[in-house]
């Protein structure tokens, strides 16, 4: 960044990895818990799975601020006329174990981008996190370990993504967008 010009010098990542993947790890954990406690699989119930997806996303969000959460859903399903209820405590460290491979993959992508730009971790002045999944404390912790600096947290990671998308959409639509900065971009790596 120099004056009002932002130049992207490298880009790398998994365009198919996002918050839903993190949620799915919790959903799988819940499904296994229900199978272990009741002996049935609820994967065939679309209604139950929709409720589990919502509960998993909520649990993920709460684990950003709390060391553990209790996931409770009354009458999640029924088996042979008997209701199946869900009550499961999930600790942040267990959730972090579930998503560790995703964090490792993401940090590998960061280092590939640095390599492409002929930079090292010590060349980075600031780390700005964008996207809702960056609220997961493990993300900041691992970046701090790798870069020896605390990522900035004063910018709302969801608002940042939404604002960027809105500006880009307005530019594509031909709407006059008054932006104080100019972005010089590269073609991102897509796979």
């Amino acid at each position: 960044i120099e004056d009002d010009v932002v130049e992207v010098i490298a880009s790398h990542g998994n365009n198919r990895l996002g918050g839903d993947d993190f949620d799915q790890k919790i959903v799988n954990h819940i499904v296994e818990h229900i199978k272990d406690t009741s002996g049935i699989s609820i994967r065939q119930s679309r209604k139950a799975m929709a409720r589990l997806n919502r509960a998993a996303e909520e649990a993920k969000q709460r684990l950003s601020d709390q060391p553990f959460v209790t996931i409770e859903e009354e009458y999640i399903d029924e088996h042979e006329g008997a209701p199946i209820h869900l009550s499961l405590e999930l600790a942040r460290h267990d959730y972090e174990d579930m998503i560790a491979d995703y964090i490792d993959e993401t940090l590998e992508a960061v280092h590939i981008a640095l390599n492409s730009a002929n930079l090292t971790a010590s060349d980075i002045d600031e780390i700005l996190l964008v996207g809702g999944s960056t609220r997961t404390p493990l993300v900041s912790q691992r970046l701090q370990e790798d870069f020896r600096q605390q990522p900035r947290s004063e910018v709302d990671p969801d608002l940042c993504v939404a604002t960027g998308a809105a500006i880009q959409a307005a530019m594509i639509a031909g709407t006059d967008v008054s932006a104080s900065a100019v972005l010089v971009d590269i073609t991102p790596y897509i796979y």
Side-chain angles (χ1 to χ4, degrees):
I1 301 173
E2 193 169 312
D3 296 325
D4 284 336
V5 177
V6 178
E7 181 183 4
V8 177
I9 56 175
S11 179
H12 186 81
N14 181 345
N15 295 332
R16 293 178 182 87
L17 177 63
D20 290 347
D21 298 297
F22 288 55
D23 297 347
Q24 191 59 48
K25 292 288 189 176
I26 298 174
V27 168
N28 292 342
H29 180 72
I30 295 170
V31 167
E32 285 304 311
H33 169 76
I34 292 172
K35 188 174 185 179
D36 291 345
T37 57
S38 70
I40 67 157
S41 173
I42 62 168
R43 287 201 187 273
Q44 306 312 315
S45 170
R46 294 177 72 192
K47 182 179 177 182
M49 292 305 292
R51 288 180 62 193
L52 290 185
N53 281 313
R54 182 190 50 75
E57 181 179 15
E58 183 181 308
K60 174 188 72 178
Q61 292 170 354
R62 289 177 29 218
L63 285 169
S64 293
D65 300 321
Q66 301 171 21
F68 67 90
V69 296
T70 301
I71 305 168
E72 293 184 311
E73 292 287 328
E74 291 290 321
Y75 211 102
I76 192 77
D77 204 1
E78 181 180 300
H79 181 66
E80 296 177 357
I84 298 171
H85 304 295
L86 170 65
S87 182
L88 171 66
E89 185 173 285
L90 179 60
R92 181 189 294 160
H93 64 85
D94 291 329
Y95 167 62
E96 290 174 344
D97 288 345
M98 291 177 206
I99 63 168
D101 289 344
Y102 292 150
I103 304 299
D104 292 342
E105 178 185 337
T106 301
L107 287 172
E108 182 180 335
V110 168
H111 287 287
I112 290 170
L114 283 172
N115 235 7
S116 297
N118 295 317
L119 297 171
T120 65
S122 62
D123 294 321
I124 303 302
D125 296 323
E126 292 181 298
I127 301 169
L128 178 63
L129 302 176
V130 296
S133 295
T134 63
R135 284 191 171 97
T136 302
L138 182 61
V139 173
S140 291
Q141 176 189 332
R142 292 286 306 277
L143 283 166
Q144 187 172 6
E145 290 168 4
D146 275 17
F147 288 85
R148 306 285 189 252
Q149 63 176 294
Q150 181 66 37
R152 290 176 51 188
S153 60
E154 71 275 8
V155 176
D156 181 321
D158 293 315
L159 183 60
C160 187
V161 172
T163 301
I167 291 170
Q168 187 65 30
M171 289 170 52
I172 290 170
T175 305
D176 181 28
V177 178
S178 3
S180 61
V182 175
L183 175 65
V184 181
D185 203 354
I186 62 169
T187 304
Y189 176 80
I190 300 173
Y191 63 91

